[in-house]
Amino acid sequence: MINYALNIEYPNDYQFWASDINQDGSINVLDVVIIVNLVLDGGYNFYADMNEDGSIDILDVVQLVNIILGNSRSADATYATLNQKGESLYISGDGYIGAVQMVLSHGYDFSIELTDSAMVSEYRTTGNTTTLIVVSPIGEEIFTTSDDYDIEEIIVANSSTMVDITEPIRYALGRAYPNPFNPSTSIDFSIPTDSYVSITVYDILGKEVISLVDEHYSIGYHTIT
């Protein structure tokens, strides 16, 4: 997490006073962290409801970030694209991305490392589900994991609203990584619609070695080990 040192003090201005979530007399990344934790934990705080819509979500997060960053950001993104490379998942767009929220399903021994190149990056894992939020990412990488997972939900916001996520437009099978490997390797694949998927490994003589996947998958990006 990158610590932003900028503090904004406006004791006589209601808008800025109400944005001081922890009421410590300044508006900074600590206030952003409070809202992020409220989103992850399903909590509510009157001061954290920046847009006064009765709920706490990443739109409240990006509204507070706008106050902290001012006009230093670039033009807003109008869409976002997901891309898996190796063990990392990346999100890119045609402009500023203020926050990313994702829900992943996975096994019980799931391990994840969020990017450090962001104002705030936090996650919560309960059983075989992980919810993560990355605020104002500087690069495109969102997280890294060597474990299998499926993306159940994703929300991307610019500075004021949600943006569309581009889904895979073709069937694609990535290379095994790492390669060579011992004792395991991972393979990414994407499908443009809910489909039945079969992935089989053959040796150089054309003999079937093992069937890795033989089941129904939902549209999107997937990783198997």
Side-chain angles (χ1 to χ4, degrees):
M1 180 181 72
I2 296 177
N3 293 319
Y4 282 71
L6 176 63
N7 292 335
I8 306 174
E9 300 184 9
Y10 290 84
N12 298 319
D13 188 310
Y14 173 78
Q15 178 186 2
F16 286 90
W17 173 81
S19 304
D20 183 10
I21 312 301
N22 59 5
Q23 299 294 286
D24 66 352
S26 61
I27 303 170
N28 53 34
V29 69
L30 296 179
D31 300 295
V32 178
V33 171
I34 291 175
I35 301 183
V36 168
N37 288 330
L38 285 170
V39 176
L40 292 174
D41 297 333
Y44 183 81
N45 180 300
F46 171 80
Y47 297 106
D49 188 7
M50 301 290 297
N51 57 8
E52 300 180 350
D53 64 354
S55 64
I56 309 298
D57 52 39
I58 62 171
L59 290 181
D60 299 299
V61 174
V62 296
Q63 187 167 327
L64 181 57
V65 170
N66 290 341
I67 296 174
I68 296 175
L69 297 183
N71 296 322
S72 62
R73 59 177 177 78
S74 58
D76 282 338
T78 60
Y79 68 86
T81 302
L82 278 70
N83 188 21
Q84 284 181 315
K85 295 180 181 179
E87 297 182 345
S88 297
L89 184 133
Y90 299 81
I91 293 181
S92 59
D94 59 341
Y96 173 73
I97 292 178
V100 178
Q101 180 176 337
M102 302 180 68
V103 178
L104 311 177
S105 61
H106 47 72
Y108 282 97
D109 294 329
F110 184 72
S111 176
I112 189 171
E113 182 176 348
L114 301 185
T115 178
D116 289 330
S117 299
M119 180 181 288
V120 177
S121 53
E122 299 281 352
Y123 73 92
R124 295 283 189 279
T125 296
T126 303
N128 58 356
T129 299
T130 292
T131 301
L132 65 91
I133 295 178
V134 175
V135 180
S136 194
I138 295 176
E140 296 181 353
E141 185 181 67
I142 301 300
F143 66 80
T144 300
T145 179
S146 59
D147 297 324
D148 298 350
Y149 66 89
D150 287 326
I151 300 174
E152 302 295 339
E153 178 183 342
I154 177 169
I155 302 172
V156 178
N158 54 31
S159 68
S160 60
T161 188
M162 309 297 186
V163 300
D164 292 332
I165 312 297
T166 59
E167 298 286 358
I169 60 175
R170 62 185 178 87
Y171 293 93
L173 180 65
R175 296 180 178 180
Y177 61 89
N179 187 20
F181 60 90
N182 182 17
S184 65
T185 189
S186 296
I187 300 174
D188 300 327
F189 66 94
S190 61
I191 52 178
T193 183
D194 294 354
S195 306
Y196 186 84
V197 178
S198 176
I199 299 178
T200 304
V201 177
Y202 297 88
D203 64 20
I204 58 175
L205 298 178
K207 180 181 179 181
E208 180 177 331
V209 176
I210 189 173
S211 176
L212 295 179
V213 171
D214 191 25
E215 59 186 284
H216 186 273
Y217 275 81
S218 59
I219 181 175
Y221 300 87
H222 306 273
T223 301
I224 57 173
T225 300

